[in-house]
């Protein structure tokens, strides 16, 4: 993206180019006459976000196997839901009141009451559990829901078309990454979640716009930089560690005869420690799929 230090003519030319150029959330990864596709997803979307960018259709049609972050079918089983519930509540008799500061509890109570939710109902939630709950409530309030997410959409489509499904991590690993998100910054995590509510519609609109056009630099600016600065442990555990664990698995896919379509959260593709940059650094040709 051109900056003000460039000559005016360069800016004009760039803007004219942008008017006819549009990227996508899908990348083609190639090496030694073999390729696969990687698509950035939103785990929650609204019905208004469909149809998806056409690059998804192209990658899907040319792929014989779809690879997700984890097994989405397993996430919906009673066994997984029980484990998820256990992760979100204290198991040692502790309470949320004992885990956060009075000022944080006061702000949280005010929020719950404003949503007609009994605070006592959440007394045994962990800080991570309550923050995730608030996020889900507010996302659904603006029409975003898991059943409309890109991952669920393609899981259902692949099952209907009898395409093979795979995963990058197990459901138990998935839970483990979520369980300690707020550790060490419990109050800050909850307050950040509460403070962002008013900006959520605009924030999600900007994120989705950048995602649809494959603007990873914008996704990094909107969704990663602040996370790096304010919650470096969350950034490391939620994005960096998982990306590092996934790269060898993606490289193994490049060695077989199948054409895979890997679908992961959009922020996993952005930034210097994102999958796109990491694969380029390893010598793969990574090009945005138009």
């Amino acid at each position: 993206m051109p900056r003000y230090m460039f000559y005016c003519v360069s800016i004009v030319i760039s803007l004219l180019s942008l008017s006819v150029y549009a990227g996508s959330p899908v990348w083609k990864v190639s090496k030694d006459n073999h390729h696969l596709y990687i698509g950035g997803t939103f785990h929650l979307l609204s019905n208004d976000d469909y149809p998806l960018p056409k690059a998804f259709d192209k990658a899907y049609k040319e792929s014989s196997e779809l690879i997700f972050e984890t097994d989405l079918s397993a996430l919906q089983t009673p066994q997984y839901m029980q484990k998820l519930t256990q992760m979100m509540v204290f198991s040692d008799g502790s309470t949320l009141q004992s885990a956060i500061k009075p000022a944080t509890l006061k702000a949280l109570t005010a929020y719950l009451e404003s949503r007609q939710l009994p605070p006592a109902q959440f007394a045994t939630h962990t800080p991570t559990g309550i923050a995730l709950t608030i996020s889900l409530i507010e996302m659904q309030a603006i029409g975003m829901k898991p059943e409309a997410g890109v991952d669920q959409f393609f899981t259902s489509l692949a099952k209907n078309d009898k395409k093979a499904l795979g995963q990058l991590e197990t459901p138990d690993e998935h839970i483990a990454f979520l369980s300690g998100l707020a550790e060490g910054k419990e109050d800050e995590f909850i307050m950040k979640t509460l403070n962002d509510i008013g900006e959520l519609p605009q924030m999600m609109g900007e994120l989705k716009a950048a995602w649809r056009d494959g603007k990873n630099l914008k996704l990094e600016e909107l969704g990663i930089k602040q996370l790096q600065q304010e919650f470096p442990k969350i950034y490391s555990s939620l994005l960096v560690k998982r990306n590092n664990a996934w790269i060898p698995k993606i490289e193994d896919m490049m060695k077989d005869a199948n054409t895979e379509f890997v679908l992961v959260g959009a922020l996993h593709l952005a930034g210097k420690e994102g999958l796109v940059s990491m694969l380029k650094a390893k010598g793969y040709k990574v090009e945005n799929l138009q």
Side-chain angles (χ1 to χ4, degrees), residues 24-30 34-40 55-68 163 168 250 253-254 258-264 269 275-276 279 285-290:
S24 81
V26 182
W27 276 259
K28 181 179 180 180
V29 182
S30 309
H34 187 63
H35 71 272
L36 56 75
Y37 296 100
I38 297 183
F56 278 109
D57 294 333
K58 178 177 174 60
Y60 177 79
K61 289 175 182 177
E62 294 185 6
S63 300
S64 57
E65 183 176 9
L66 272 71
I67 310 294
F68 298 93
K163 291 198 177 190
L168 293 167
I250 294 172
M253 295 176 204
M254 292 292 293
N258 296 331
T259 298
E260 293 88 357
F261 188 11
V262 181
L263 290 155
V264 298
L269 304 185
L275 295 178
V276 169
L279 287 166
K285 180 181 179 181
V286 184
E287 52 190 333
N288 193 250
L289 191 64
Q290 302 303 304

Side-chain angles (χ1 to χ4, degrees), residues 44-110:
L44 289 82
L45 281 179
S46 68
N47 294 333
D48 293 339
D49 293 311
Y50 286 81
L52 296 172
K54 291 183 180 180
F56 278 109
D57 294 333
K58 178 177 174 60
Y60 177 79
K61 289 175 182 177
E62 294 185 6
S63 300
S64 57
E65 183 176 9
L66 272 71
I67 310 294
F68 298 93
E69 290 185 17
T70 192
D71 184 345
L72 298 187
S73 297
L75 298 189
Q76 299 168 7
T77 63
Q79 292 86 351
Y80 175 82
M81 294 307 298
Q82 182 179 6
K83 289 181 179 181
L84 184 61
T85 300
Q86 291 172 345
M87 180 272 289
M88 295 179 68
V89 299
F90 288 107
S91 59
D92 60 359
S94 299
T95 65
L96 186 60
Q97 181 176 1
S98 64
I100 58 178
K101 298 175 182 177
T104 307
L105 183 63
K106 182 179 179 180
L108 175 61
T109 300

Side-chain angles (χ1 to χ4, degrees), residues 177-243:
F177 284 118
L178 294 176
S179 63
L181 287 184
E183 186 175 353
K185 285 202 170 187
E186 290 82 359
D187 291 278
E188 294 92 334
F189 195 52
I190 291 175
M191 290 305 300
K192 175 65 176 174
T193 304
L194 291 173
N195 291 335
D196 282 350
I197 289 173
E199 300 176 4
L200 187 62
Q202 179 180 346
M203 185 190 311
M204 294 311 301
E206 292 177 353
L207 281 168
K208 286 193 287 186
W211 159 70
R212 293 186 75 92
D213 288 340
K215 295 179 179 178
N216 275 355
L217 287 176
K218 189 66 174 178
L219 283 174
E220 181 182 11
E221 176 188 333
L222 294 171
I224 292 180
K225 287 187 176 179
Q226 191 173 34
L227 186 64
Q228 287 176 305
Q229 295 169 359
E230 297 184 11
F231 300 98
K233 288 185 179 179
I234 294 178
Y235 169 71
S236 177
S237 63
L238 199 60
L239 293 177
V240 180
K241 288 183 180 179
R242 296 168 78 200
N243 287 349

Side-chain angles (χ1 to χ4, degrees), residues 43 68 72-73 76 146-157:
H43 302 316
F68 298 93
L72 298 187
S73 297
Q76 299 168 7
E147 55 267 31
V150 177
D151 314 79
Q152 188 58 57
F153 174 82
F154 278 108
T155 294
S156 300
L157 192 61

Side-chain angles (χ1 to χ4, degrees), residues 124-137:
T124 59
H125 275 54
T126 64
T128 295
I130 194 66
L132 292 176
T133 299
I134 293 170
S135 297
L136 183 58
I137 289 171

